Amino acid sequence: MVKNTHHSNGGFMFARIAAALLGAAIVSGPAFATSPLPSFRFTSLRSGTLGMEFVNGINNNGLIVGFRASTPQGVILSQNGTRTLVPDGSLRPDSLNLSGQIAGTQFTGNGFRAFVRNPDGSMTFIEDPQGRSTDAFGINDAGKVLVNVSGPNGSAGAMLWQAGNVTPIIGPGGNQPTATDVNNSDVVVGNVRTLTGETQAFRWEAGAMTILGSLGNSDSYASDTSMTRAILWV
């Protein structure tokens, strides 16, 4: 900003130089405006049959997973233009990893249970020893599945599951968290009730939970994690 330019010739000259530079910048400005815009290609994954279909995840090999809610129901797999429908309307995929393992939830007449579907089509169901419902919320490239457990009164905790081995995720004072994502470093994020009664986002790693706080509000939630950071919304 130029102040008091009418008080001296030096200030007046400075103002003129500044205006000339600004004019030069304006003249050269269209170079940015004429930069090529990014281009995108839209590819429909629909098979040609009308109905409701949803995409849930994609990995770095271009494998896409989703599900078809209309008849015929099932899990949709799509890669390199090839589409496969796994005809099981009870399955809802959530995410997949680099090797093509899919984590999701099967809805049954008595509730729901988490599953892992391997690239060869074999299925493993993740059961709770107490018979509570299990719900998959992510899988990392090591095959570790993030699972929320629900009892009759709501959330009953979260855990990391791999080949039958379970690591519980415990909140402050034993409070049961709701987990939302896991990354390749086994870092888990989600939300949990604190000892003061708020619902706060957390970051969990190697058995230690860190409450992330909020951005001025009483509650916060973490929905996703990169290699080191949690994505929050409040």
Side-chain angles (χ1 to χ4, degrees), residues 139-169:
I139 183 171
N140 65 18
D141 289 340
K144 294 184 179 181
V145 184
L146 180 61
V147 178
N148 285 311
V149 180
S150 299
N153 298 320
S155 176
M159 62 181 178
L160 271 180
W161 178 96
Q162 185 181 36
N165 298 313
V166 173
T167 302
I169 301 170

Side-chain angles (χ1 to χ4, degrees), residues 41-114:
R41 181 178 64 187
F42 177 82
T43 302
S44 175
L45 303 179
R46 189 177 296 279
S47 65
T49 304
L50 296 178
M52 296 180 62
E53 297 181 347
F54 303 88
V55 170
N56 293 70
I58 183 172
N59 68 12
N60 286 342
N61 291 326
L63 177 62
I64 298 169
V65 65
F67 71 95
R68 180 177 171 82
S70 302
T71 304
Q73 295 180 334
V75 175
I76 299 170
L77 300 174
S78 180
Q79 188 174 31
N80 299 326
T82 300
R83 171 193 162 109
T84 303
L85 181 69
V86 180
D88 190 332
S90 69
L91 303 179
R92 292 294 182 270
D94 174 82
S95 54
L96 73 165
N97 62 16
L98 188 60
S99 66
Q101 287 182 301
I102 299 169
T105 303
Q106 182 189 46
F107 292 86
T108 67
N110 299 321
F112 45 92
R113 58 178 180 172

